[in-house]
Each structure stands twice: as C-alpha cells, then as structure tokens.
Amino acid sequence: AQKVTQAQTEISVVEKEDVTLDCVYETRDTTYYLFWYKQPPSGELVFLIRRNSFDEQNEISGRYSWNFQKSTSSFNFTITASQVVDSAVYFCALSAATSGGSYIPTFGRGTSLIVHP
Amino acid sequence: SQTIHQWPATLVQPVGSPLSLECTVEGTSNPNLYWYRQAAGRGLQLLFYSIGIDQISSEVPQNLSASRPQDRQFILSSKKLLLSDSGFYLCAWSAGVRYDYGYTFGSGTRLTVV
C-alpha cells in the first residue's frame, strides 16, 4: 500500500523567510512518481512538479526547490524568500502503477503555509 | 491545449435530495478521470477513477456513484444526500497508462448539504 505523510499541518512564517515543507512516502514499487501541488484559497489544485523514482536530481525553479532522497523516502519542498502569495495548502502525492497498469495517486493531508507580511 | 471543466461551482442541497456533478475534458482523448472529495480536514480522498469508458472503480463505499457516459465526461451522482456528503469535490484527469504525467484538476464544486 502507498502512503504519503506530511507531518507539518500548518507552518507560519514572515515574508522573506525560507521555509521547507516535508514529505515522506512509503511504497513497495520500484517505479513510482512524486508530485507537489499547490491549493490557493480559490480551491483549485495547481501542479508544481513531477519526479519519477529513477531521477533523484534535485530541481530548482525560481524560488522553489525540491530535494528528492530515495534513501530516506523523502521529497521535500523549499520556498526561498517566501512571499504572501505563497500562502496556500501544499500537497505531496505519490503514484505507482496498479495491476491494470494505470496510475492512481495517493495524496498527503497537506501542509497549510501562512506567510505574514 | 487540454482543459477541464467542472460545474456547478457551489451547491446547497437539502438532506435526501439527489446530486449530479459534471466534469468534462477537452482537447484529449481517452483520459483517465478521477473524482476526489476534500473534507474540512483538507486531505484529498479518492472516490472514483476511470481509465476507460466502461471502467469505473470505486475506492470508498458510500452513497455516491460515478458514470462515464462519454469518453471525456465524468459524472458524480447520489440518489439521496447525507449531511456527511458536504465537502469540496474535485474532478481531475491524467493521460497515459505506461507513464504518469501528472494530474490536472478542475476548479471544484463546494457542496453543502443542509
């Protein structure tokens, strides 16, 4: 069975602080995908990043960076110099192929990030 | 480009009334389709998924059902709503079977059962 744990329920920071959102996953599959999604107050989930299990390269996109470590089953997300617009709920997700070959994602419970001006 | 449409945006329904939420995808064929519910605790609960027009799988036993009358249309229904059905319902689609390219979500339906 797949499991995604986002232990941080809520994080509160002041603008310009760096913040790291933790994600720990469990799966027995050797091929799997990891994702991060952002859910602003409007409710729609916005895709941020996708990483497959064979690609452990870290990635940086502007103020966002992701650290994928298979050894610790973690896929952490760091926002550098946070801004008020970063305030949202962030979800980590894991997917692996079912017996039928399709992928079904399992989402963590989300981390609510509040950035104060 | 592909787009996903979900409606209505908000809905207030009395207990015991029926429900029909619709989701359509444009710009692609044979998408994988999903219905999620997000309750007050924020977690995303997978309700149904469909990898083909005749294939719908249920993840959680409940009084909800899903149908896929057309390739790019996914409908979530209930014959009699319960108070516990209140929540934020999200439709999503993805492409591919051999690889997972990610999920695109609709804008959601906020359902309040009164």
Side-chain angles (χ1 to χ4, degrees):
Chain A
Q2 301 171 172
K3 185 177 179 181
V4 176
T5 301
Q6 294 181 256
Q8 303 151 308
T9 303
E10 183 176 296
I11 300 175
S12 183
V13 299
V14 177
E15 208 168 20
K16 297 184 183 177
E17 282 186 35
D18 298 347
V19 58
T20 295
L21 309 181
D22 298 332
C23 174
V24 175
Y25 63 91
E26 296 176 28
T27 181
R28 294 181 179 178
D29 295 279
T30 55
T31 302
Y32 54 89
Y33 294 85
L34 295 164
F35 305 86
W36 275 96
Y37 284 82
K38 174 182 179 180
Q39 186 179 39
S42 61
E44 185 172 344
L45 269 78
V46 178
F47 169 85
L48 295 178
I49 190 172
R50 161 187 179 264
R51 178 66 78 226
N52 74 52
S53 53
F54 299 108
D55 182 4
E56 279 194 81
Q57 280 192 341
N58 293 327
E59 181 156 338
I60 298 175
S61 177
R63 296 184 296 106
Y64 294 172
S65 62
W66 290 269
N67 185 326
F68 176 26
Q69 291 196 343
K70 289 178 73 171
S71 60
T72 55
S73 297
S74 64
F75 187 42
N76 296 337
F77 173 30
T78 297
I79 301 175
T80 303
S82 59
Q83 300 177 0
V84 173
V85 293
D86 295 326
S87 297
V89 179
Y90 291 85
F91 289 95
C92 180
L94 162 74
S95 74
T98 64
S99 56
S102 58
Y103 286 85
I104 306 299
T106 298
F107 284 82
R109 291 184 57 79
T111 297
S112 177
L113 173 64
I114 302 169
V115 182
H116 299 281
Chain B
S1 64
Q2 301 90 0
T3 55
I4 180 169
H5 302 281
Q6 186 180 342
W7 66 94
T10 59
L11 197 57
V12 180
Q13 293 284 94
V15 169
S17 63
L19 173 74
S20 180
L21 303 182
E22 189 164 342
C23 173
T24 59
V25 180
E26 296 178 355
T28 187
S29 59
N30 197 30
N32 301 323
L33 296 170
Y34 311 83
W35 278 111
Y36 284 88
R37 177 169 60 198
Q38 186 177 28
R42 291 202 317 271
L44 287 169
Q45 180 186 38
L46 178 63
L47 301 175
F48 300 93
Y49 68 92
S50 172
I51 63 171
I53 196 164
D54 295 321
Q55 296 177 278
I56 297 176
S57 299
S58 173
E59 287 293 297
V60 182
Q62 63 225 323
N63 68 323
L64 299 172
S65 63
S67 62
R68 187 167 177 173
Q70 299 180 41
D71 179 46
R72 292 171 292 172
Q73 184 183 28
F74 206 24
I75 296 174
L76 182 68
S77 304
S78 174
K79 292 182 179 178
K80 288 186 177 181
L81 284 169
L82 306 172
L83 285 174
S84 57
D85 292 323
S86 292
F88 189 53
Y89 288 81
L90 287 157
C91 179
W93 78 273
S94 69
V97 174
R98 292 183 59 200
Y99 306 98
D100 190 343
Y101 297 105
Y103 308 85
T104 302
F105 285 82
S107 54
T109 296
R110 200 164 300 279
L111 171 66
T112 304
V113 183
V114 296

